[in-house]
Coordinates of all heavy atoms in Angstrom, one line a residue:
M1 N -9.9 10.6 -25.2 CA -9.0 10.6 -24.1 C -7.7 9.9 -24.6 O -7.7 9.0 -25.3 CB -9.6 9.8 -22.9 CG -8.8 9.9 -21.7 SD -9.5 9.0 -20.2 CE -11.2 8.7 -20.6
N2 N -6.6 10.6 -24.2 CA -5.3 10.0 -24.7 C -4.9 8.8 -23.8 O -5.4 8.5 -22.8 CB -4.2 11.1 -24.7 CG -3.9 11.6 -23.3 OD1 -3.9 10.9 -22.3 ND2 -3.7 12.9 -23.2
D3 N -3.9 8.1 -24.3 CA -3.5 6.8 -23.6 C -2.9 7.1 -22.2 O -3.2 6.3 -21.3 CB -2.4 6.1 -24.5 CG -2.9 5.5 -25.7 OD1 -4.1 5.3 -25.8 OD2 -2.1 5.3 -26.7
A4 N -2.2 8.2 -22.0 CA -1.7 8.5 -20.7 C -2.7 8.7 -19.7 O -2.7 8.2 -18.6 CB -0.8 9.7 -20.8
Q5 N -3.8 9.4 -20.1 CA -5.0 9.6 -19.2 C -5.7 8.3 -18.9 O -6.1 8.1 -17.7 CB -5.9 10.6 -19.8 CG -7.1 11.0 -18.9 CD -6.6 11.7 -17.6 OE1 -5.8 12.7 -17.7 NE2 -7.0 11.3 -16.4
K6 N -5.9 7.5 -19.9 CA -6.5 6.2 -19.6 C -5.6 5.3 -18.7 O -6.2 4.7 -17.8 CB -6.6 5.4 -21.0 CG -7.7 5.9 -21.9 CD -7.8 5.2 -23.2 CE -8.7 5.8 -24.1 NZ -8.7 5.1 -25.4
W7 N -4.3 5.4 -18.8 CA -3.4 4.6 -18.0 C -3.5 5.1 -16.5 O -3.7 4.4 -15.6 CB -2.0 4.8 -18.5 CG -1.0 4.1 -17.7 CD1 -0.7 2.8 -17.6 CD2 0.0 4.8 -16.7 NE1 0.4 2.6 -16.7 CE2 0.8 3.8 -16.2 CE3 0.1 6.2 -16.4 CZ2 1.8 4.2 -15.3 CZ3 1.1 6.5 -15.5 CH2 1.9 5.5 -14.9
L8 N -3.5 6.4 -16.4 CA -3.6 7.0 -15.0 C -5.0 6.7 -14.4 O -5.0 6.4 -13.2 CB -3.4 8.6 -15.1 CG -3.5 9.3 -13.8 CD1 -2.4 8.8 -12.8 CD2 -3.4 10.8 -14.0
D9 N -6.0 6.8 -15.1 CA -7.4 6.5 -14.6 C -7.5 5.1 -14.2 O -8.1 4.8 -13.1 CB -8.5 6.8 -15.7 CG -8.7 8.3 -16.0 OD1 -8.2 9.1 -15.2 OD2 -9.3 8.6 -17.0
Q10 N -6.8 4.2 -14.9 CA -6.8 2.8 -14.5 C -6.1 2.5 -13.3 O -6.5 1.8 -12.4 CB -6.3 1.9 -15.7 CG -6.4 0.4 -15.4 CD -7.8 0.0 -15.3 OE1 -8.6 0.2 -16.1 NE2 -8.1 -0.7 -14.2
I11 N -4.9 3.2 -13.1 CA -4.2 3.0 -11.8 C -5.0 3.5 -10.7 O -5.1 2.9 -9.6 CB -2.8 3.8 -11.9 CG1 -1.9 3.2 -12.9 CG2 -2.2 3.9 -10.5 CD1 -0.7 4.0 -13.2
I12 N -5.6 4.7 -10.8 CA -6.4 5.2 -9.7 C -7.6 4.3 -9.4 O -7.9 4.1 -8.2 CB -6.9 6.6 -10.1 CG1 -5.8 7.6 -10.2 CG2 -8.0 7.1 -9.1 CD1 -6.0 8.9 -10.8
E13 N -8.2 3.7 -10.4 CA -9.3 2.8 -10.2 C -8.8 1.5 -9.5 O -9.6 0.9 -8.7 CB -9.9 2.5 -11.6 CG -11.2 1.6 -11.5 CD -11.7 1.4 -12.9 OE1 -11.8 2.3 -13.7 OE2 -12.1 0.2 -13.2
D14 N -7.6 1.1 -9.8 CA -7.1 -0.2 -9.2 C -6.6 -0.1 -7.8 O -6.5 -1.1 -7.1 CB -6.0 -0.7 -10.1 CG -6.5 -1.3 -11.4 OD1 -7.7 -1.5 -11.6 OD2 -5.6 -1.5 -12.3
I15 N -6.3 1.1 -7.3 CA -5.6 1.3 -6.0 C -6.5 0.6 -4.9 O -5.9 -0.1 -4.1 CB -5.4 2.8 -5.7 CG1 -4.3 3.3 -6.6 CG2 -5.1 3.0 -4.2 CD1 -2.9 3.3 -6.0
P16 N -7.8 0.8 -4.8 CA -8.6 0.1 -3.7 C -8.5 -1.4 -3.8 O -8.4 -2.0 -2.7 CB -10.0 0.6 -3.9 CG -9.9 1.9 -4.7 CD -8.7 1.7 -5.6
F17 N -8.4 -1.9 -5.0 CA -8.3 -3.4 -5.1 C -6.9 -3.9 -4.7 O -6.8 -5.0 -4.1 CB -8.7 -3.8 -6.5 CG -10.0 -3.4 -6.9 CD1 -10.3 -2.4 -7.9 CD2 -11.2 -4.1 -6.4 CE1 -11.5 -2.0 -8.2 CE2 -12.4 -3.7 -6.8 CZ -12.6 -2.7 -7.7
I18 N -5.9 -3.1 -5.0 CA -4.6 -3.5 -4.6 C -4.5 -3.4 -3.1 O -3.9 -4.3 -2.5 CB -3.5 -2.5 -5.3 CG1 -3.5 -2.7 -6.8 CG2 -2.1 -2.8 -4.7 CD1 -2.8 -1.7 -7.6
E19 N -5.0 -2.3 -2.6 CA -4.9 -2.2 -1.1 C -5.6 -3.3 -0.4 O -5.1 -3.9 0.6 CB -5.6 -0.8 -0.7 CG -5.6 -0.6 0.8 CD -6.2 0.8 1.2 OE1 -6.6 1.5 0.2 OE2 -6.3 1.1 2.3
K20 N -6.8 -3.7 -0.9 CA -7.6 -4.8 -0.2 C -6.8 -6.1 -0.4 O -6.7 -6.9 0.6 CB -9.0 -4.9 -0.9 CG -9.8 -6.0 -0.3 CD -11.1 -6.1 -0.9 CE -11.9 -7.2 -0.2 NZ -13.1 -7.6 -0.9
G21 N -6.2 -6.3 -1.5 CA -5.4 -7.6 -1.7 C -4.3 -7.7 -0.8 O -4.0 -8.8 -0.2
I22 N -3.5 -6.6 -0.7 CA -2.3 -6.6 0.2 C -2.8 -6.8 1.6 O -2.2 -7.5 2.4 CB -1.5 -5.3 0.0 CG1 -0.8 -5.3 -1.4 CG2 -0.5 -5.2 1.1 CD1 -0.1 -4.0 -1.8
Y23 N -3.8 -6.1 2.0 CA -4.4 -6.2 3.4 C -4.8 -7.6 3.7 O -4.4 -8.2 4.7 CB -5.5 -5.2 3.5 CG -6.3 -5.4 4.8 CD1 -5.8 -4.9 6.0 CD2 -7.6 -5.9 4.8 CE1 -6.5 -5.0 7.2 CE2 -8.3 -6.0 6.0 CZ -7.8 -5.6 7.2 OH -8.5 -5.7 8.3
E24 N -5.5 -8.2 2.8 CA -6.0 -9.6 3.0 C -4.9 -10.6 3.1 O -4.8 -11.5 3.9 CB -7.1 -10.0 1.9 CG -8.3 -9.3 2.0 CD -9.1 -9.5 3.2 OE1 -9.1 -10.6 3.8 OE2 -9.8 -8.5 3.7
D25 N -3.9 -10.4 2.2 CA -2.7 -11.3 2.2 C -1.9 -11.1 3.5 O -1.5 -12.1 4.2 CB -1.7 -10.9 1.0 CG -2.2 -11.4 -0.3 OD1 -3.2 -12.2 -0.3 OD2 -1.7 -11.0 -1.3
A26 N -1.8 -9.9 4.0 CA -1.0 -9.6 5.2 C -1.7 -10.2 6.4 O -1.0 -10.7 7.3 CB -0.8 -8.1 5.4
K27 N -3.1 -10.2 6.5 CA -3.8 -10.7 7.6 C -3.5 -12.2 7.8 O -3.6 -12.7 8.8 CB -5.2 -10.4 7.5 CG -5.6 -9.0 7.8 CD -7.1 -8.8 7.7 CE -7.9 -9.6 8.8 NZ -9.3 -9.3 8.8
T28 N -3.2 -12.9 6.7 CA -3.0 -14.4 6.8 C -1.6 -14.7 7.4 O -1.4 -15.9 7.8 CB -3.0 -15.0 5.3 OG1 -1.9 -14.5 4.6 CG2 -4.3 -14.7 4.6
L29 N -0.8 -13.7 7.6 CA 0.5 -14.0 8.2 C 0.4 -14.2 9.7 O 1.4 -14.7 10.3 CB 1.5 -12.9 7.9 CG 1.8 -12.8 6.4 CD1 2.7 -11.6 6.1 CD2 2.4 -14.0 5.9
G30 N -0.7 -13.8 10.3 CA -0.9 -14.2 11.7 C -0.5 -13.2 12.8 O -1.2 -13.2 13.9
T31 N 0.5 -12.5 12.6 CA 0.9 -11.5 13.6 C 1.1 -10.1 13.0 O 1.4 -10.0 11.8 CB 2.2 -11.9 14.3 OG1 3.3 -11.8 13.4 CG2 2.2 -13.3 14.9
Y32 N 0.9 -9.1 13.8 CA 1.0 -7.7 13.3 C 2.4 -7.5 12.8 O 2.6 -6.9 11.7 CB 0.7 -6.7 14.4 CG 0.9 -5.3 14.1 CD1 0.2 -4.7 13.1 CD2 1.9 -4.6 14.8 CE1 0.5 -3.3 12.7 CE2 2.2 -3.3 14.4 CZ 1.5 -2.6 13.4 OH 1.8 -1.4 13.1
G33 N 3.4 -7.9 13.5 CA 4.8 -7.7 13.1 C 5.1 -8.3 11.7 O 5.7 -7.6 10.9
K34 N 4.7 -9.5 11.5 CA 5.0 -10.2 10.2 C 4.2 -9.5 9.1 O 4.6 -9.2 8.0 CB 4.6 -11.6 10.3 CG 5.5 -12.5 11.1 CD 5.1 -13.9 11.1 CE 6.0 -14.7 12.1 NZ 5.4 -16.1 12.2
A35 N 2.9 -9.1 9.4 CA 2.1 -8.4 8.4 C 2.6 -7.0 8.0 O 2.6 -6.7 6.9 CB 0.7 -8.3 9.0
K36 N 3.0 -6.3 9.1 CA 3.6 -5.0 8.8 C 4.9 -5.1 7.9 O 5.1 -4.3 7.0 CB 3.9 -4.3 10.1 CG 4.5 -2.9 9.9 CD 4.6 -2.2 11.3 CE 5.7 -2.7 12.1 NZ 6.0 -2.0 13.3
K37 N 5.7 -6.0 8.2 CA 7.0 -6.3 7.5 C 6.6 -6.6 6.0 O 7.2 -6.1 5.1 CB 7.8 -7.3 8.1 CG 9.1 -7.5 7.4 CD 9.9 -8.5 8.1 CE 11.3 -8.7 7.5 NZ 12.2 -9.7 8.2
Y38 N 5.6 -7.5 5.8 CA 5.2 -7.8 4.5 C 4.7 -6.7 3.7 O 5.1 -6.4 2.6 CB 4.1 -8.9 4.6 CG 3.4 -9.2 3.3 CD1 4.0 -9.9 2.3 CD2 2.1 -8.7 3.0 CE1 3.3 -10.2 1.1 CE2 1.5 -8.9 1.8 CZ 2.1 -9.7 0.9 OH 1.4 -9.9 -0.3
V39 N 3.8 -5.8 4.3 CA 3.3 -4.7 3.6 C 4.4 -3.7 3.2 O 4.5 -3.2 2.1 CB 2.2 -4.0 4.5 CG1 1.7 -2.7 3.9 CG2 1.0 -4.9 4.6
R40 N 5.2 -3.4 4.2 CA 6.3 -2.4 4.0 C 7.3 -2.9 3.0 O 8.1 -2.1 2.5 CB 6.9 -2.0 5.3 CG 5.9 -1.1 6.1 CD 6.6 -0.5 7.3 NE 5.7 0.5 7.9 CZ 5.7 0.9 9.1 NH1 6.7 0.4 9.9 NH2 4.9 1.8 9.6
S41 N 7.4 -4.2 2.7 CA 8.3 -4.7 1.7 C 8.0 -4.2 0.3 O 8.9 -4.2 -0.6 CB 8.4 -6.2 1.7 OG 7.1 -6.8 1.1
F42 N 6.8 -3.7 0.1 CA 6.4 -3.1 -1.2 C 6.7 -1.7 -1.3 O 6.6 -1.1 -2.4 CB 4.9 -3.3 -1.4 CG 4.4 -4.6 -1.6 CD1 3.8 -5.3 -0.5 CD2 4.5 -5.3 -2.7 CE1 3.4 -6.6 -0.6 CE2 4.1 -6.6 -2.9 CZ 3.5 -7.3 -1.9
K43 N 7.2 -1.0 -0.3 CA 7.4 0.4 -0.3 C 8.6 0.8 -1.2 O 9.6 0.0 -1.3 CB 7.6 1.0 1.1 CG 6.3 1.1 1.9 CD 6.6 1.8 3.2 CE 6.6 3.2 3.0 NZ 6.5 3.9 4.3
H44 N 8.5 1.9 -1.8 CA 9.6 2.5 -2.7 C 10.5 3.3 -1.8 O 10.1 4.2 -1.1 CB 9.1 3.2 -3.8 CG 10.1 3.8 -4.7 ND1 10.8 3.1 -5.6 CD2 10.6 5.1 -4.8 CE1 11.7 3.9 -6.2 NE2 11.6 5.1 -5.8
D45 N 11.8 3.0 -1.9 CA 12.8 3.9 -1.1 C 13.3 5.0 -2.1 O 13.9 4.7 -3.1 CB 13.9 3.0 -0.6 CG 14.9 3.8 0.2 OD1 14.7 5.0 0.5 OD2 16.0 3.2 0.4
F46 N 13.0 6.2 -1.7 CA 13.4 7.4 -2.5 C 14.9 7.7 -2.2 O 15.4 8.6 -3.0 CB 12.6 8.6 -2.2 CG 11.2 8.4 -2.7 CD1 10.2 8.0 -1.8 CD2 10.9 8.7 -4.0 CE1 8.9 7.9 -2.2 CE2 9.6 8.6 -4.4 CZ 8.6 8.2 -3.6
G47 N 15.6 7.2 -1.3 CA 16.9 7.5 -1.0 C 17.2 8.9 -0.7 O 18.2 9.5 -1.0
G48 N 16.2 9.6 -0.1 CA 16.3 11.0 0.3 C 16.1 12.0 -0.9 O 16.2 13.1 -0.6
D49 N 15.8 11.4 -2.1 CA 15.6 12.3 -3.2 C 14.1 12.4 -3.5 O 13.5 11.5 -3.9 CB 16.3 11.8 -4.4 CG 16.1 12.7 -5.7 OD1 15.7 13.8 -5.5 OD2 16.4 12.1 -6.8
F50 N 13.5 13.6 -3.2 CA 12.1 13.8 -3.4 C 11.8 14.8 -4.5 O 11.2 15.8 -4.3 CB 11.4 14.2 -2.1 CG 11.4 13.1 -1.1 CD1 12.4 13.1 -0.1 CD2 10.5 12.1 -1.1 CE1 12.4 12.1 0.8 CE2 10.5 11.1 -0.2 CZ 11.4 11.0 0.8
S51 N 12.4 14.6 -5.7 CA 12.4 15.7 -6.7 C 11.0 15.7 -7.3 O 10.7 16.7 -8.0 CB 13.4 15.4 -7.8 OG 13.2 14.1 -8.4
G52 N 10.2 14.7 -7.1 CA 8.8 14.8 -7.6 C 8.5 14.5 -9.0 O 7.6 15.1 -9.6
T53 N 9.3 13.6 -9.7 CA 8.9 13.2 -11.0 C 7.5 12.5 -11.0 O 7.1 12.1 -9.9 CB 10.0 12.3 -11.6 OG1 9.9 11.0 -10.8 CG2 11.4 12.8 -11.6
P54 N 6.9 12.4 -12.1 CA 5.6 11.7 -12.1 C 5.7 10.3 -11.5 O 4.8 9.9 -10.8 CB 5.2 11.7 -13.5 CG 5.8 12.9 -14.1 CD 7.1 13.0 -13.4
E55 N 6.7 9.6 -11.8 CA 6.9 8.2 -11.3 C 7.0 8.2 -9.8 O 6.4 7.4 -9.1 CB 8.1 7.5 -12.0 CG 7.9 7.3 -13.4 CD 8.3 8.4 -14.3 OE1 8.8 9.5 -13.8 OE2 8.1 8.3 -15.5
E56 N 7.8 9.2 -9.3 CA 8.0 9.3 -7.9 C 6.7 9.7 -7.1 O 6.4 9.2 -6.0 CB 9.1 10.3 -7.5 CG 10.5 9.7 -7.9 CD 11.6 10.7 -7.8 OE1 11.3 11.9 -7.9 OE2 12.7 10.3 -7.6
Q57 N 5.9 10.5 -7.8 CA 4.6 10.9 -7.2 C 3.7 9.7 -7.1 O 3.0 9.6 -6.1 CB 4.0 12.0 -8.0 CG 4.8 13.4 -7.9 CD 4.2 14.4 -8.7 OE1 3.0 14.4 -9.1 NE2 5.0 15.5 -9.0
M58 N 3.7 8.8 -8.1 CA 2.9 7.6 -8.0 C 3.4 6.7 -6.9 O 2.6 6.1 -6.2 CB 2.9 6.9 -9.4 CG 2.2 7.7 -10.5 SD 0.5 8.0 -10.1 CE -0.2 6.4 -9.9
Y59 N 4.7 6.6 -6.8 CA 5.3 5.7 -5.7 C 4.9 6.3 -4.4 O 4.6 5.6 -3.5 CB 6.8 5.6 -5.8 CG 7.3 4.6 -6.8 CD1 8.2 4.9 -7.8 CD2 7.0 3.2 -6.6 CE1 8.6 3.9 -8.7 CE2 7.5 2.3 -7.4 CZ 8.3 2.6 -8.5 OH 8.7 1.6 -9.3
S60 N 5.0 7.6 -4.3 CA 4.5 8.2 -3.0 C 3.1 7.9 -2.6 O 2.8 7.6 -1.5 CB 4.8 9.8 -3.1 OG 4.4 10.4 -1.9
A61 N 2.2 8.0 -3.6 CA 0.8 7.7 -3.4 C 0.7 6.2 -3.0 O -0.1 5.9 -2.1 CB 0.0 8.0 -4.6
F62 N 1.5 5.3 -3.6 CA 1.4 3.9 -3.3 C 1.9 3.7 -1.9 O 1.4 2.9 -1.1 CB 2.3 3.2 -4.3 CG 2.1 1.7 -4.2 CD1 0.9 1.0 -4.7 CD2 3.1 0.9 -3.7 CE1 0.8 -0.3 -4.7 CE2 2.9 -0.5 -3.7 CZ 1.7 -1.1 -4.1
N63 N 3.0 4.4 -1.5 CA 3.5 4.3 -0.2 C 2.5 4.7 0.9 O 2.4 4.1 1.9 CB 4.8 5.1 0.0 CG 6.0 4.4 -0.7 OD1 6.0 3.3 -1.2 ND2 7.1 5.2 -0.8
T64 N 1.8 5.8 0.6 CA 0.8 6.2 1.5 C -0.3 5.2 1.7 O -0.8 4.9 2.8 CB 0.2 7.6 1.0 OG1 1.2 8.5 0.9 CG2 -1.0 8.1 1.9
M65 N -0.7 4.6 0.6 CA -1.7 3.5 0.6 C -1.2 2.3 1.4 O -1.9 1.8 2.3 CB -2.0 3.0 -0.8 CG -3.1 1.9 -0.9 SD -2.5 0.2 -0.9 CE -1.3 0.2 -2.2
L66 N 0.1 2.0 1.3 CA 0.7 0.9 2.1 C 0.6 1.3 3.6 O 0.3 0.4 4.5 CB 2.1 0.6 1.7 CG 2.2 0.0 0.3 CD1 3.7 -0.1 -0.1 CD2 1.6 -1.4 0.2
E67 N 0.9 2.5 4.0 CA 0.8 2.9 5.4 C -0.6 2.8 5.9 O -0.8 2.6 7.1 CB 1.5 4.3 5.6 CG 3.0 4.2 5.5 CD 3.6 3.3 6.5 OE1 3.2 3.2 7.7 OE2 4.5 2.5 6.1
D68 N -1.6 3.1 5.0 CA -3.0 3.0 5.4 C -3.3 1.5 5.7 O -4.0 1.2 6.7 CB -3.9 3.4 4.3 CG -3.9 4.9 4.1 OD1 -3.4 5.6 5.0 OD2 -4.4 5.4 3.1
V69 N -2.7 0.6 5.0 CA -2.9 -0.9 5.3 C -2.3 -1.2 6.6 O -2.9 -1.9 7.4 CB -2.3 -1.7 4.1 CG1 -2.3 -3.2 4.5 CG2 -3.0 -1.5 2.8
V70 N -1.0 -0.7 6.9 CA -0.4 -1.0 8.2 C -1.3 -0.4 9.3 O -1.4 -1.1 10.3 CB 1.0 -0.3 8.2 CG1 1.6 -0.4 9.6 CG2 1.9 -1.0 7.2
S71 N -1.9 0.7 9.1 CA -2.8 1.3 10.2 C -4.0 0.4 10.4 O -4.3 0.2 11.6 CB -3.2 2.7 9.8 OG -2.2 3.6 9.8
K72 N -4.6 -0.2 9.3 CA -5.6 -1.1 9.5 C -5.2 -2.4 10.3 O -6.0 -2.9 11.1 CB -6.2 -1.5 8.1 CG -7.0 -0.4 7.4 CD -7.5 -0.9 6.1 CE -8.2 0.2 5.3 NZ -8.6 -0.3 4.0
L73 N -4.0 -2.8 9.9 CA -3.5 -4.0 10.6 C -3.3 -3.7 12.1 O -3.6 -4.6 12.9 CB -2.2 -4.5 9.9 CG -2.4 -5.1 8.5 CD1 -1.1 -5.2 7.8 CD2 -3.1 -6.4 8.6
N74 N -2.8 -2.5 12.4 CA -2.6 -2.1 13.8 C -3.9 -2.1 14.5 O -4.0 -2.6 15.6 CB -1.9 -0.8 13.8 CG -1.4 -0.4 15.2 OD1 -1.4 -1.2 16.1 ND2 -1.1 0.8 15.4
Q75 N -4.9 -1.6 13.9 CA -6.2 -1.5 14.5 C -6.8 -3.0 14.7 O -7.3 -3.3 15.8 CB -7.2 -0.8 13.6 CG -7.0 0.7 13.6 CD -7.9 1.4 12.6 OE1 -8.7 0.7 11.9 NE2 -7.8 2.7 12.5
D76 N -6.5 -3.9 13.7 CA -6.9 -5.3 13.9 C -6.1 -5.9 15.1 O -6.8 -6.7 15.9 CB -6.6 -6.1 12.7 CG -7.5 -5.8 11.5 OD1 -8.5 -5.1 11.7 OD2 -7.2 -6.2 10.4
S77 N -4.9 -5.6 15.3 CA -4.1 -6.1 16.4 C -4.7 -5.6 17.7 O -4.8 -6.3 18.7 CB -2.7 -5.9 16.3 OG -2.3 -4.6 16.5
N78 N -5.1 -4.3 17.7 CA -5.6 -3.7 18.9 C -7.0 -4.4 19.3 O -7.4 -4.4 20.4 CB -5.8 -2.2 18.8 CG -4.5 -1.5 18.8 OD1 -3.5 -2.0 19.2 ND2 -4.5 -0.3 18.2
N79 N -7.7 -4.8 18.3 CA -9.0 -5.4 18.5 C -8.9 -6.9 18.5 O -10.0 -7.6 18.5 CB -10.0 -5.0 17.3 CG -10.3 -3.6 17.2 OD1 -10.3 -2.9 18.3 ND2 -10.6 -3.0 16.0
A80 N -7.7 -7.4 18.6 CA -7.5 -8.9 18.8 C -7.9 -9.7 17.6 O -8.1 -10.9 17.7 CB -8.1 -9.4 20.1
E81 N -8.0 -9.0 16.4 CA -8.4 -9.8 15.2 C -7.1 -10.4 14.6 O -7.2 -11.3 13.8 CB -9.1 -8.8 14.2 CG -10.4 -8.4 14.6 CD -11.0 -7.3 13.7 OE1 -10.7 -7.4 12.5 OE2 -11.8 -6.5 14.2
I82 N -6.0 -9.9 14.9 CA -4.7 -10.4 14.6 C -3.8 -10.3 15.7 O -3.9 -9.4 16.5 CB -4.1 -9.7 13.3 CG1 -2.9 -10.3 12.7 CG2 -3.9 -8.2 13.6 CD1 -2.4 -9.7 11.4
K83 N -2.9 -11.3 15.9 CA -2.0 -11.2 17.1 C -1.0 -10.1 17.0 O -0.5 -9.8 16.0 CB -1.2 -12.6 17.1 CG -2.0 -13.8 17.4 CD -1.1 -15.0 17.4 CE -1.9 -16.3 17.5 NZ -1.1 -17.5 17.4
N84 N -0.8 -9.5 18.2 CA 0.1 -8.4 18.3 C 1.4 -9.0 18.8 O 1.5 -9.6 19.9 CB -0.4 -7.3 19.3 CG 0.4 -6.0 19.2 OD1 1.5 -6.0 18.5 ND2 0.0 -5.0 19.8
D85 N 2.5 -8.8 18.1 CA 3.8 -9.3 18.5 C 4.8 -8.3 18.8 O 4.7 -7.1 18.4 CB 4.3 -10.4 17.6 CG 4.6 -9.9 16.1 OD1 4.1 -8.7 15.8 OD2 5.1 -10.6 15.3

């Protein structure tokens, strides 16, 4: 296996751990609004250019994962596990 494939496989393997870490950190902020702002601070801004380079595709996948975290936090706020502000 070449180095690029190993690198990509490691990123894919790490995504669930990154997601869990960001989610757990965000929950400590106490309110949905603060948690959502914290999670979204990691998002990559494409500036309207979606040309689809490999790097941008990785950022897009990461952004999707961040929105999944925001959705989980929203569910937590609906279930009163985190304050809704």
Side-chain angles (χ1 to χ4, degrees):
M1 188 176 343
N2 62 41
D3 289 339
Q5 185 64 49
K6 289 179 186 175
W7 176 77
L8 180 60
D9 290 346
Q10 186 62 52
I11 291 172
I12 292 168
E13 185 178 316
D14 289 344
I15 291 266
F17 300 106
I18 295 168
E19 180 178 0
K20 182 179 180 196
I22 291 172
Y23 172 72
E24 292 298 325
D25 287 347
K27 282 182 66 173
T28 66
L29 297 174
T31 68
Y32 171 68
K34 289 178 186 175
K36 180 172 70 172
K37 185 176 180 178
Y38 168 76
V39 172
R40 288 190 172 158
S41 73
F42 291 101
K43 287 186 81 171
H44 178 75
D45 180 9
F46 290 97
D49 179 18
F50 294 97
S51 59
T53 66
E55 293 84 3
E56 289 172 333
Q57 290 176 21
M58 290 304 298
Y59 277 121
S60 179
F62 191 75
N63 286 352
T64 299
M65 181 267 305
L66 293 172
E67 285 304 315
D68 290 345
V69 172
V70 169
S71 292
K72 287 180 186 177
L73 292 166
N74 189 14
Q75 289 173 356
D76 290 348
S77 72
N78 291 340
N79 296 332
E81 294 175 30
I82 187 172
K83 292 180 188 173
N84 191 353
D85 57 352

